[in-house]
Amino acid sequence: MSDDDTMAARGRGRRGFLKSGLLGGAALAAGSLTARAEGDPAITEIKDWNRYPGEGVDARPYGTPSQFESEVVRRNVPWLTAESISSVNFTPLHELDGIITPNGLCFERHHAGIAEIDPAEHRLMINGMVDTPLVFTMADLMRFPRENRVYFLECAANSGMEWRGAQLNGCQFTHGMVHCVMYTGVPLKYLLEEAGIKSGAAWLLPEGADASAMTRSVPLDKGLEDCLVAFKMNGEALRPEQGYPLRLVVPGWEGNMWVKWLRRIEVGDKPWAQREETSKYTDLLKGGKTRMHTWEMEVKSVITSPSPQKPIVHGRGRTVIAGLAWSGLGAIDRVDVTIDGGMNWHTARLDGPSFPKALHRFYYEFDWDGSDLLLQSRAIDDQGYVQPTKQELRAARGPNSIYHNNGIQSWHVNAEGAVENVEVS
Amino acid sequence: GDHGNFGIGRPASEEEIAAWDIDVRPDGKGLPVGSGTVLDGEQVYFDQCATCHGDFGEGLGRWPVLAGGMGTLEDDRPEKTVGSFWPHVSTVYDYVRRTMPFGNARSLSDDEVYAVTAYVLYLNDIVRDEEFELSNENLADIELPNAGNFIADDRFEEDHYAEKDPCMSDCLDAPAEITMRAQVLDVTPDSGDEGSGG
């Protein structure tokens, strides 16, 4: 099938609703076919796939998604950055379910492009305030005891374009700088103990091997508590864009600290005040002061469907609200959903595994009567923190923090089922 | 090896550590021996930096602004530069040596990095003498204007986090009103399938 044929077969592209913002009832390609006397041709006609064999087991050594899922891709916003090498793209949250992000869809954030590293030439050095500065090969790292852990990674700037108001129309763009995978790696504690931490040490400086040579100061306590040096995600080797062959995992903390292409960890007694913890990843407040070392990602949630890229196309009746919730401080205890802009709330259903510092999936099912809706979700974590409104955050911080926007997201659903990013009062 | 619990890995040599350990702290720890003047830095800057950052650090196109913006941090649109925002000179030296010029990192000598750091300080009126020489001896003594305005993370003390038991019903005085709409801005990228009947 050519691309044109594929498009024709699919009828109106799902994302076409985005541009029109309206649903012509007759154009509903997906779903409600009225039964005719002669029956549904999807049933009454013999299809090609029903008659002819498809490809064999030798055709797809590494499988890819169906051609009919070609719109489920990472996207970027060209005007955000000067160029694409030091930039970001966004996970298509609106198309995903469960809590695990497929490796090829995990959002990317690079500061000097994707380093392509031969693992045979990769080294990890531990130096500074240690008894024996060490060098490890990848083969060496494979000999340490391993752990498997599911964690979310959220960019500190996720939702940053929304600080001043509703700007980007789609949860991919407003919330897509997050992903959640199972990491396999070595607890950083084992590597530090192998080198022998000297008395007085209190800080770590992980460093990347790429051309941005990413460095961040990390408290030693955090490194010993739950950081991993990971070489696999979702069972397979890290993707190059996620740090192959090695990355730091810093559970619950802002993504910038999860140094990719990890080549060195220095042990010291003071923080280093690197560019990415002074000029960047510091949060300017109203009044001119700036918070630094804002490491944890706060309690947060978003409804992924319905959302601007995922309108309601089935008309009135039974409707599923799906969403994600997460907290860098622990697990999610509860998610509440409103369909009337916050007048009344309903406790949603958390479904599937719920791990601390990982994404949690919630659902709320209801009967839509066809009237306008104002959808919001509000997460509460197991430390008792309640997700704040955007107004509360702005009142506390002003509009120029850039980072750490965990405010409640509002979607407006109109009578046709089209959805828009809005703010409400 | 005879180190640690597992005996995995090998000791790093002095040369290997020196090759990779180039970070500099605000107190000057890690600075290499060397120096450069503002005038030296002007030449390095014009040759290596100005095509992106502009002759005066004003930033061309979307490239970062390096100078100016003094006193704008409380403005509606703050201009955060080395002079107006950055707390430490050491960060300029470290970051330039580590990552700049963009696309040709690690290509400047230690003395060139001192010189271009001196020039960036000059662009920001932190130093005013073209003959000024920045070196490992004096870099850590220079204070940037905004150094005292960074505070520890106190997010979790904010008023809204005191709420532990949020309202569930009849929570608003009046029905919610829409106050902002993303579609008015219309800056969201289109999907990749232009003209697909959308």
PDB file of all heavy atoms in Angstrom, chain A residues 70-94:
ATOM      1  N   SER A  70       1.184   5.303  12.478  1.00  0.00           N
ATOM      2  CA  SER A  70       2.327   6.139  12.063  1.00  0.00           C
ATOM      3  C   SER A  70       2.305   7.530  12.683  1.00  0.00           C
ATOM      4  O   SER A  70       3.304   8.246  12.644  1.00  0.00           O
ATOM      5  CB  SER A  70       2.357   6.259  10.543  1.00  0.00           C
ATOM      6  OG  SER A  70       1.179   6.911  10.083  1.00  0.00           O
ATOM      7  N   GLU A  71       1.186   7.936  13.247  1.00  0.00           N
ATOM      8  CA  GLU A  71       1.131   9.267  13.870  1.00  0.00           C
ATOM      9  C   GLU A  71       1.557   9.234  15.331  1.00  0.00           C
ATOM     10  O   GLU A  71       1.646  10.288  15.967  1.00  0.00           O
ATOM     11  CB  GLU A  71      -0.294   9.822  13.764  1.00  0.00           C
ATOM     12  CG  GLU A  71      -0.680  10.155  12.334  1.00  0.00           C
ATOM     13  CD  GLU A  71      -2.171  10.404  12.186  1.00  0.00           C
ATOM     14  OE1 GLU A  71      -2.896  10.151  13.171  1.00  0.00           O
ATOM     15  OE2 GLU A  71      -2.583  10.845  11.114  1.00  0.00           O
ATOM     16  N   VAL A  72       1.789   8.034  15.853  1.00  0.00           N
ATOM     17  CA  VAL A  72       2.215   7.921  17.249  1.00  0.00           C
ATOM     18  C   VAL A  72       3.734   8.061  17.279  1.00  0.00           C
ATOM     19  O   VAL A  72       4.474   7.080  17.229  1.00  0.00           O
ATOM     20  CB  VAL A  72       1.751   6.582  17.863  1.00  0.00           C
ATOM     21  CG1 VAL A  72       2.098   6.538  19.348  1.00  0.00           C
ATOM     22  CG2 VAL A  72       0.249   6.407  17.665  1.00  0.00           C
ATOM     23  N   VAL A  73       4.186   9.300  17.293  1.00  0.00           N
ATOM     24  CA  VAL A  73       5.611   9.612  17.197  1.00  0.00           C
ATOM     25  C   VAL A  73       5.951  10.760  18.140  1.00  0.00           C
ATOM     26  O   VAL A  73       5.073  11.529  18.554  1.00  0.00           O
ATOM     27  CB  VAL A  73       6.017  10.009  15.758  1.00  0.00           C
ATOM     28  CG1 VAL A  73       5.944   8.812  14.816  1.00  0.00           C
ATOM     29  CG2 VAL A  73       5.169  11.174  15.259  1.00  0.00           C
ATOM     30  N   ARG A  74       7.247  10.865  18.425  1.00  0.00           N
ATOM     31  CA  ARG A  74       7.744  12.044  19.128  1.00  0.00           C
ATOM     32  C   ARG A  74       7.614  13.251  18.199  1.00  0.00           C
ATOM     33  O   ARG A  74       7.790  13.140  16.988  1.00  0.00           O
ATOM     34  CB  ARG A  74       9.218  11.843  19.512  1.00  0.00           C
ATOM     35  CG  ARG A  74       9.424  10.681  20.455  1.00  0.00           C
ATOM     36  CD  ARG A  74      10.858  10.540  20.907  1.00  0.00           C
ATOM     37  NE  ARG A  74      11.716   9.940  19.903  1.00  0.00           N
ATOM     38  CZ  ARG A  74      12.653   9.026  20.161  1.00  0.00           C
ATOM     39  NH1 ARG A  74      12.853   8.605  21.404  1.00  0.00           N
ATOM     40  NH2 ARG A  74      13.408   8.535  19.201  1.00  0.00           N
ATOM     41  N   ARG A  75       7.292  14.389  18.774  1.00  0.00           N
ATOM     42  CA  ARG A  75       7.206  15.621  17.986  1.00  0.00           C
ATOM     43  C   ARG A  75       7.992  16.711  18.695  1.00  0.00           C
ATOM     44  O   ARG A  75       8.170  16.684  19.907  1.00  0.00           O
ATOM     45  CB  ARG A  75       5.749  16.058  17.826  1.00  0.00           C
ATOM     46  CG  ARG A  75       4.905  15.062  17.058  1.00  0.00           C
ATOM     47  CD  ARG A  75       3.473  15.515  16.872  1.00  0.00           C
ATOM     48  NE  ARG A  75       2.681  14.412  16.346  1.00  0.00           N
ATOM     49  CZ  ARG A  75       2.645  14.057  15.056  1.00  0.00           C
ATOM     50  NH1 ARG A  75       3.338  14.745  14.163  1.00  0.00           N
ATOM     51  NH2 ARG A  75       1.923  13.034  14.668  1.00  0.00           N
ATOM     52  N   ASN A  76       8.440  17.681  17.892  1.00  0.00           N
ATOM     53  CA  ASN A  76       9.129  18.805  18.514  1.00  0.00           C
ATOM     54  C   ASN A  76       8.431  20.106  18.148  1.00  0.00           C
ATOM     55  O   ASN A  76       7.530  20.131  17.309  1.00  0.00           O
ATOM     56  CB  ASN A  76      10.612  18.827  18.147  1.00  0.00           C
ATOM     57  CG  ASN A  76      10.841  19.208  16.702  1.00  0.00           C
ATOM     58  OD1 ASN A  76      10.151  18.733  15.831  1.00  0.00           O
ATOM     59  ND2 ASN A  76      11.801  20.090  16.470  1.00  0.00           N
ATOM     60  N   VAL A  77       8.825  21.170  18.822  1.00  0.00           N
ATOM     61  CA  VAL A  77       8.242  22.494  18.609  1.00  0.00           C
ATOM     62  C   VAL A  77       9.385  23.383  18.121  1.00  0.00           C
ATOM     63  O   VAL A  77      10.191  23.857  18.928  1.00  0.00           O
ATOM     64  CB  VAL A  77       7.638  23.055  19.911  1.00  0.00           C
ATOM     65  CG1 VAL A  77       7.069  24.458  19.691  1.00  0.00           C
ATOM     66  CG2 VAL A  77       6.548  22.124  20.434  1.00  0.00           C
ATOM     67  N   PRO A  78       9.490  23.579  16.795  1.00  0.00           N
ATOM     68  CA  PRO A  78      10.692  24.233  16.252  1.00  0.00           C
ATOM     69  C   PRO A  78      10.992  25.602  16.848  1.00  0.00           C
ATOM     70  O   PRO A  78      12.169  25.961  16.995  1.00  0.00           O
ATOM     71  CB  PRO A  78      10.373  24.337  14.754  1.00  0.00           C
ATOM     72  CG  PRO A  78       9.405  23.226  14.497  1.00  0.00           C
ATOM     73  CD  PRO A  78       8.580  23.111  15.750  1.00  0.00           C
ATOM     74  N   TRP A  79       9.965  26.362  17.209  1.00  0.00           N
ATOM     75  CA  TRP A  79      10.238  27.717  17.679  1.00  0.00           C
ATOM     76  C   TRP A  79      10.771  27.783  19.101  1.00  0.00           C
ATOM     77  O   TRP A  79      11.169  28.841  19.583  1.00  0.00           O
ATOM     78  CB  TRP A  79       8.997  28.607  17.544  1.00  0.00           C
ATOM     79  CG  TRP A  79       7.726  28.113  18.190  1.00  0.00           C
ATOM     80  CD1 TRP A  79       6.680  27.508  17.558  1.00  0.00           C
ATOM     81  CD2 TRP A  79       7.358  28.197  19.586  1.00  0.00           C
ATOM     82  NE1 TRP A  79       5.685  27.213  18.478  1.00  0.00           N
ATOM     83  CE2 TRP A  79       6.075  27.618  19.715  1.00  0.00           C
ATOM     84  CE3 TRP A  79       7.981  28.706  20.726  1.00  0.00           C
ATOM     85  CZ2 TRP A  79       5.413  27.533  20.935  1.00  0.00           C
ATOM     86  CZ3 TRP A  79       7.316  28.608  21.948  1.00  0.00           C
ATOM     87  CH2 TRP A  79       6.055  28.024  22.044  1.00  0.00           C
ATOM     88  N   LEU A  80      10.798  26.631  19.784  1.00  0.00           N
ATOM     89  CA  LEU A  80      11.247  26.648  21.178  1.00  0.00           C
ATOM     90  C   LEU A  80      12.725  26.951  21.329  1.00  0.00           C
ATOM     91  O   LEU A  80      13.133  27.590  22.292  1.00  0.00           O
ATOM     92  CB  LEU A  80      10.979  25.282  21.830  1.00  0.00           C
ATOM     93  CG  LEU A  80       9.650  25.042  22.524  1.00  0.00           C
ATOM     94  CD1 LEU A  80       9.659  23.671  23.177  1.00  0.00           C
ATOM     95  CD2 LEU A  80       9.364  26.111  23.558  1.00  0.00           C
ATOM     96  N   THR A  81      13.552  26.475  20.391  1.00  0.00           N
ATOM     97  CA  THR A  81      15.004  26.559  20.567  1.00  0.00           C
ATOM     98  C   THR A  81      15.662  27.068  19.286  1.00  0.00           C
ATOM     99  O   THR A  81      15.057  27.071  18.214  1.00  0.00           O
ATOM    100  CB  THR A  81      15.596  25.177  20.913  1.00  0.00           C
ATOM    101  OG1 THR A  81      15.150  24.234  19.936  1.00  0.00           O
ATOM    102  CG2 THR A  81      15.164  24.722  22.294  1.00  0.00           C
ATOM    103  N   ALA A  82      16.924  27.469  19.418  1.00  0.00           N
ATOM    104  CA  ALA A  82      17.654  28.047  18.282  1.00  0.00           C
ATOM    105  C   ALA A  82      17.857  27.003  17.184  1.00  0.00           C
ATOM    106  O   ALA A  82      17.858  27.329  15.999  1.00  0.00           O
ATOM    107  CB  ALA A  82      18.996  28.606  18.743  1.00  0.00           C
ATOM    108  N   GLU A  83      18.057  25.758  17.578  1.00  0.00           N
ATOM    109  CA  GLU A  83      18.239  24.683  16.605  1.00  0.00           C
ATOM    110  C   GLU A  83      17.864  23.370  17.285  1.00  0.00           C
ATOM    111  O   GLU A  83      17.507  23.356  18.457  1.00  0.00           O
ATOM    112  CB  GLU A  83      19.664  24.659  16.038  1.00  0.00           C
ATOM    113  CG  GLU A  83      20.765  25.018  17.017  1.00  0.00           C
ATOM    114  CD  GLU A  83      20.720  24.194  18.272  1.00  0.00           C
ATOM    115  OE1 GLU A  83      20.849  22.976  18.130  1.00  0.00           O
ATOM    116  OE2 GLU A  83      20.553  24.754  19.363  1.00  0.00           O
ATOM    117  N   SER A  84      17.972  22.256  16.549  1.00  0.00           N
ATOM    118  CA  SER A  84      17.449  20.992  17.082  1.00  0.00           C
ATOM    119  C   SER A  84      18.487  20.187  17.864  1.00  0.00           C
ATOM    120  O   SER A  84      18.153  19.155  18.437  1.00  0.00           O
ATOM    121  CB  SER A  84      16.927  20.132  15.926  1.00  0.00           C
ATOM    122  OG  SER A  84      17.994  19.732  15.104  1.00  0.00           O
ATOM    123  N   ILE A  85      19.748  20.655  17.889  1.00  0.00           N
ATOM    124  CA  ILE A  85      20.801  19.865  18.552  1.00  0.00           C
ATOM    125  C   ILE A  85      20.733  20.037  20.065  1.00  0.00           C
ATOM    126  O   ILE A  85      20.952  19.096  20.818  1.00  0.00           O
ATOM    127  CB  ILE A  85      22.197  20.281  18.042  1.00  0.00           C
ATOM    128  CG1 ILE A  85      22.277  20.122  16.526  1.00  0.00           C
ATOM    129  CG2 ILE A  85      23.270  19.431  18.700  1.00  0.00           C
ATOM    130  CD1 ILE A  85      23.507  20.770  15.919  1.00  0.00           C
ATOM    131  N   SER A  86      20.467  21.260  20.491  1.00  0.00           N
ATOM    132  CA  SER A  86      20.262  21.506  21.923  1.00  0.00           C
ATOM    133  C   SER A  86      18.785  21.833  22.081  1.00  0.00           C
ATOM    134  O   SER A  86      18.383  22.994  22.068  1.00  0.00           O
ATOM    135  CB  SER A  86      21.145  22.648  22.423  1.00  0.00           C
ATOM    136  OG  SER A  86      20.968  22.808  23.817  1.00  0.00           O
ATOM    137  N   SER A  87      17.990  20.782  22.192  1.00  0.00           N
ATOM    138  CA  SER A  87      16.544  20.973  22.138  1.00  0.00           C
ATOM    139  C   SER A  87      15.838  19.792  22.792  1.00  0.00           C
ATOM    140  O   SER A  87      16.461  18.969  23.451  1.00  0.00           O
ATOM    141  CB  SER A  87      16.096  21.142  20.676  1.00  0.00           C
ATOM    142  OG  SER A  87      14.766  21.629  20.628  1.00  0.00           O
ATOM    143  N   VAL A  88      14.534  19.731  22.554  1.00  0.00           N
ATOM    144  CA  VAL A  88      13.707  18.741  23.219  1.00  0.00           C
ATOM    145  C   VAL A  88      12.620  18.271  22.256  1.00  0.00           C
ATOM    146  O   VAL A  88      12.222  19.021  21.356  1.00  0.00           O
ATOM    147  CB  VAL A  88      13.066  19.349  24.494  1.00  0.00           C
ATOM    148  CG1 VAL A  88      12.077  20.437  24.141  1.00  0.00           C
ATOM    149  CG2 VAL A  88      12.428  18.295  25.373  1.00  0.00           C
ATOM    150  N   ASN A  89      12.174  17.038  22.412  1.00  0.00           N
ATOM    151  CA  ASN A  89      10.935  16.625  21.766  1.00  0.00           C
ATOM    152  C   ASN A  89      10.022  16.003  22.813  1.00  0.00           C
ATOM    153  O   ASN A  89      10.354  15.964  23.999  1.00  0.00           O
ATOM    154  CB  ASN A  89      11.191  15.712  20.554  1.00  0.00           C
ATOM    155  CG  ASN A  89      11.860  14.412  20.920  1.00  0.00           C
ATOM    156  OD1 ASN A  89      11.784  13.944  22.046  1.00  0.00           O
ATOM    157  ND2 ASN A  89      12.523  13.799  19.944  1.00  0.00           N
ATOM    158  N   PHE A  90       8.859  15.538  22.363  1.00  0.00           N
ATOM    159  CA  PHE A  90       7.782  15.248  23.309  1.00  0.00           C
ATOM    160  C   PHE A  90       7.191  13.856  23.085  1.00  0.00           C
ATOM    161  O   PHE A  90       6.914  13.453  21.950  1.00  0.00           O
ATOM    162  CB  PHE A  90       6.668  16.295  23.156  1.00  0.00           C
ATOM    163  CG  PHE A  90       7.148  17.702  23.416  1.00  0.00           C
ATOM    164  CD1 PHE A  90       7.738  18.454  22.402  1.00  0.00           C
ATOM    165  CD2 PHE A  90       7.013  18.263  24.672  1.00  0.00           C
ATOM    166  CE1 PHE A  90       8.190  19.739  22.638  1.00  0.00           C
ATOM    167  CE2 PHE A  90       7.466  19.553  24.921  1.00  0.00           C
ATOM    168  CZ  PHE A  90       8.057  20.300  23.895  1.00  0.00           C
ATOM    169  N   THR A  91       6.975  13.149  24.183  1.00  0.00           N
ATOM    170  CA  THR A  91       6.348  11.831  24.167  1.00  0.00           C
ATOM    171  C   THR A  91       4.859  11.974  23.815  1.00  0.00           C
ATOM    172  O   THR A  91       4.188  12.842  24.373  1.00  0.00           O
ATOM    173  CB  THR A  91       6.465  11.193  25.567  1.00  0.00           C
ATOM    174  OG1 THR A  91       7.826  11.181  25.975  1.00  0.00           O
ATOM    175  CG2 THR A  91       5.916   9.778  25.586  1.00  0.00           C
ATOM    176  N   PRO A  92       4.333  11.130  22.920  1.00  0.00           N
ATOM    177  CA  PRO A  92       2.912  11.218  22.558  1.00  0.00           C
ATOM    178  C   PRO A  92       2.015  10.594  23.627  1.00  0.00           C
ATOM    179  O   PRO A  92       1.396   9.540  23.411  1.00  0.00           O
ATOM    180  CB  PRO A  92       2.836  10.449  21.232  1.00  0.00           C
ATOM    181  CG  PRO A  92       3.933   9.447  21.312  1.00  0.00           C
ATOM    182  CD  PRO A  92       5.043  10.113  22.105  1.00  0.00           C
ATOM    183  N   LEU A  93       1.934  11.247  24.772  1.00  0.00           N
ATOM    184  CA  LEU A  93       1.189  10.692  25.907  1.00  0.00           C
ATOM    185  C   LEU A  93      -0.258  10.406  25.563  1.00  0.00           C
ATOM    186  O   LEU A  93      -0.866   9.484  26.123  1.00  0.00           O
ATOM    187  CB  LEU A  93       1.222  11.677  27.086  1.00  0.00           C
ATOM    188  CG  LEU A  93       2.580  12.029  27.687  1.00  0.00           C
ATOM    189  CD1 LEU A  93       2.394  13.043  28.816  1.00  0.00           C
ATOM    190  CD2 LEU A  93       3.290  10.789  28.211  1.00  0.00           C
ATOM    191  N   HIS A  94      -0.829  11.197  24.654  1.00  0.00           N
ATOM    192  CA  HIS A  94      -2.254  11.076  24.336  1.00  0.00           C
ATOM    193  C   HIS A  94      -2.580   9.768  23.654  1.00  0.00           C
ATOM    194  O   HIS A  94      -3.750   9.377  23.586  1.00  0.00           O
ATOM    195  CB  HIS A  94      -2.687  12.238  23.445  1.00  0.00           C
ATOM    196  CG  HIS A  94      -1.934  12.322  22.155  1.00  0.00           C
ATOM    197  ND1 HIS A  94      -0.583  12.599  22.119  1.00  0.00           N
ATOM    198  CD2 HIS A  94      -2.315  12.164  20.864  1.00  0.00           C
ATOM    199  CE1 HIS A  94      -0.191  12.602  20.853  1.00  0.00           C
ATOM    200  NE2 HIS A  94      -1.215  12.342  20.076  1.00  0.00           N
TER     201      HIS A  94
END
